[in-house]
Amino acid sequence: MRLNKFLSASGVCSRRKADELIENGEIIVNGKVETQLGTNIDEKKDKVIYNGKVISLTSDFVYYKLNKPKGYICSNNDDKGRKTIFELLPKDKRLFSIGRLDYNTEGLILITNDGELSEAISHPRYEVNKEYIVTIEGKILESELAVLRAGVVEKGIRMPKARVQRLETDGKITKISVIINEGQNRQVRRMFEAIGKTIILLKRVRIGEITLGGLQRGTYKELNRVEMEYINMLKN
Ligand code: URA
């Protein structure tokens, strides 16, 4: 088995990230640092060490959905000492999030120890669309919605198109549904900055066919059978 596949199948990280670890000399195979991409190992015999721990294939993958609150980051540790989503999750497995939400964004995020899945959902090729509910100050004009739909132009570069729909407004605040395929850094926030709108709350409510549902803020639960069928479809 390829070393990068072994690392992702063992729940260490995604395959792409595994290549980085290998190139950076962070993976030891049978006592020697292995930096060659494309190396094959015998997963039954070879001893692979990362971060001082022997890595083994795990079949007990877990898949959770978490309702991330505002004020949490999506990485394992933070040099600014901010809270991380992993404080809200079980500690007995090496979990990671599939993609990220900004510190001040809340809502649905998928958590797993299955590196292959991370690759499948994050890659634009699979076109897993994501839906956000954006709450802004004031109103939004039809012409502004049209700009968002066509893809806002930022420093001369057009951002991807989005499916955008006004949901409700009371004149003081407006809620808008935004559906995007790609996950460029701060994509939704940048779209609204480009049309001069102030976001009060950004919340992700759906990833592909998996919805946030009634999950309480700050809590997680395992994906159900139907959600797992969708996940397995993406992986195949
Ligand atoms: N777009 C953003 O701007 N922020 C997020 O957290 C997710 C999508």
Side-chain angles (χ1 to χ4, degrees):
M1 179 188 273
R2 284 269 169 120
L3 180 54
N4 62 357
K5 180 159 191 194
F6 172 82
L7 290 166
S8 70
S10 308
V12 170
C13 57
S14 71
R15 231 190 270 191
R16 222 173 312 158
K17 177 84 184 147
D19 282 338
E20 277 174 34
L21 295 179
I22 295 167
E23 280 189 315
N24 292 342
E26 294 185 56
I27 306 298
I28 299 169
V29 179
N30 299 329
K32 283 203 198 112
V33 172
E34 179 57 75
T35 55
Q36 285 301 309
L37 294 181
T39 297
N40 279 299
I41 60 151
D42 180 338
E43 63 274 16
K44 298 210 179 69
K45 286 202 206 124
D46 292 333
K47 189 170 167 194
V48 178
I49 296 183
Y50 166 59
N51 230 350
K53 289 200 186 106
V54 178
I55 307 301
S56 58
L57 283 179
T58 162
S59 57
D60 59 340
F61 285 141
V62 289
Y63 304 89
Y64 300 126
K65 57 180 177 183
L66 168 73
N67 185 349
K68 174 195 173 299
K70 277 173 86 159
Y72 282 77
I73 58 157
C74 289
S75 49
N76 274 299
N77 45 51
D78 181 40
D79 47 12
K80 297 191 190 121
R82 294 175 294 184
K83 288 185 280 200
T84 95
I85 56 168
F86 297 98
E87 294 169 30
L88 304 168
L89 291 160
K91 311 277 180 300
D92 58 334
K93 294 204 166 59
R94 203 197 309 259
L95 298 174
F96 46 86
S97 62
I98 298 183
R100 290 178 179 205
L101 290 175
D102 298 335
Y103 181 65
N104 277 325
T105 302
E106 65 174 52
L108 179 62
I109 187 148
L110 298 179
I111 309 286
T112 184
N113 53 353
D114 177 354
E116 298 285 311
L117 175 66
S118 172
E119 206 97 322
I121 290 201
S122 305
H123 203 287
R125 169 163 42 114
Y126 294 89
E127 297 203 343
V128 176
N129 61 36
K130 288 132 194 145
E131 180 171 2
Y132 297 83
I133 305 296
V134 187
T135 308
I136 58 161
E137 276 176 12
K139 298 183 200 160
I140 191 161
L141 302 171
E142 243 341 288
S143 56
E144 291 167 324
L145 293 172
V147 171
L148 296 176
R149 287 184 186 122
V152 298
V153 178
E154 197 189 48
K155 296 184 191 137
I157 298 169
R158 189 174 292 280
M159 287 179 69
K161 289 183 181 171
R163 275 155 64 194
V164 181
Q165 204 190 341
R166 190 193 295 114
L167 298 176
E168 58 184 64
T169 184
D170 64 3
K172 294 201 186 75
I173 63 167
T174 302
K175 288 190 179 184
I176 302 145
S177 155
V178 174
I179 301 176
I180 54 176
N181 269 339
E182 302 180 33
Q184 292 185 6
N185 190 29
R186 297 185 67 254
Q187 188 170 334
V188 178
R189 290 183 190 277
R190 281 161 46 207
M191 287 167 62
F192 282 80
E193 276 160 20
I195 58 164
K197 296 290 170 194
T198 305
I199 292 185
I200 304 170
L201 181 65
L202 178 57
K203 177 175 180 175
R204 183 158 66 190
V205 291
R206 185 173 60 76
I207 299 172
E209 292 179 13
I210 301 178
T211 58
L212 185 60
L215 193 61
Q216 291 291 306
R217 199 176 275 136
T219 66
Y220 70 92
K221 71 175 176 195
E222 275 190 56
L223 297 189
N224 65 27
R225 190 180 50 79
V226 176
E227 291 166 333
M228 280 313 302
E229 277 168 15
Y230 173 68
I231 292 287
N232 288 326
M233 190 268 294
L234 286 177
K235 278 174 69 179
N236 291 327

